[in-house]
Structure formats: structure tokens, C-alpha cells
């Protein structure tokens, strides 16, 4: 089981959290085509290695935050609050 560090509550077991998918996605404008909208909703990268994800502390404070996790080893190398740019955080 993974240990995630909530930026508000500290280290907790993975069972307290829910993964919300990739982090730092930009929603297309309302005037986008059906193909662009489908691409945004359905097409996701499936990287082997470091990947940024959104997680929610469902059974804790309820806050969303970002995680840098290696998809091969499941090692979590970083957690940081939503609204913080990926480049603003030390890796």
C-alpha cells in the first residue's frame, strides 16, 4: 500500500485517498470541436515513469492536491497543493 502525504493532514495510507486522474490538464474552450472535446475527455497519456496526478483526501480533510508518482514503482516523490504550478515545486 502507498503512503501519501496530504499537504494539510500529513502522511496517510492510500486507502484514505481517491485518484482523480492526470494533473495540470487544460480544458478546451466551449467553442471547441467535438473531436477536440472527445480528445480532452477520453485520450490520456499512459506514461512509464514519473507522472503528475490529482488526488483527493476523501476520508480526511476532503482537499484535492497533486502528486508526482512513478507509474513503474509507485514511488511518490512529491505532493503539493492545487494551484501550485508544477515548476514551482522542487522535485
Amino acid at each position: 500500500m502507498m503512503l501519501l502525504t496530504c499537504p494539510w493532514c500529513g502522511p496517510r495510507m492510500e486507502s484514505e485517498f481517491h485518484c482523480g486522474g492526470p494533473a495540470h490538464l487544460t480544458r478546451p474552450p466551449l467553442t471547441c470541436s467535438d473531436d477536440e472535446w472527445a480528445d480532452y475527455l477520453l485520450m490520456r497519456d499512459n506514461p512509464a515513469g514519473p507522472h503528475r496526478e490529482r488526488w483527493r483526501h476523501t476520508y480526511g480533510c476532503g482537499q484535492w492536491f497533486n502528486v508526482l508518482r512513478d507509474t513503474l514503482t509507485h514511488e511518490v516523490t512529491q505532493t503539493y497543493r492545487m494551484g501550485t504550478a508544477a515548476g514551482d515545486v522542487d522535485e
Side-chain angles (χ1 to χ4, degrees):
M1 182 166 286
M2 287 191 304
L3 183 68
L4 294 173
T5 301
C6 172
W8 291 271
C9 303
R12 301 289 193 272
M13 298 306 289
E14 173 190 5
S15 58
E16 291 189 21
F17 300 90
H18 177 80
C19 183
H24 306 290
L25 293 178
T26 302
R27 183 179 176 147
L30 294 175
T31 58
C32 72
S33 69
D34 288 345
D35 288 339
E36 289 172 314
W37 185 246
D39 186 56
Y40 167 75
L41 290 177
L42 305 173
M43 302 305 291
R44 296 285 185 255
D45 291 335
N46 189 15
H51 182 60
R52 296 191 184 274
E53 302 168 326
R54 297 179 313 143
W55 284 75
R56 182 173 184 250
H57 195 177
T58 309
Y59 298 107
C61 63
Q63 295 289 327
W64 284 94
F65 60 97
N66 292 320
V67 171
L68 178 61
R69 180 179 69 88
D70 190 302
T71 59
L72 297 174
T73 64
H74 296 291
E75 178 186 8
V76 174
T77 56
Q78 182 180 71
T79 60
Y80 55 100
R81 294 179 182 209
M82 299 289 278
T84 303
D88 292 347
V89 183
D90 295 331
E91 292 190 36

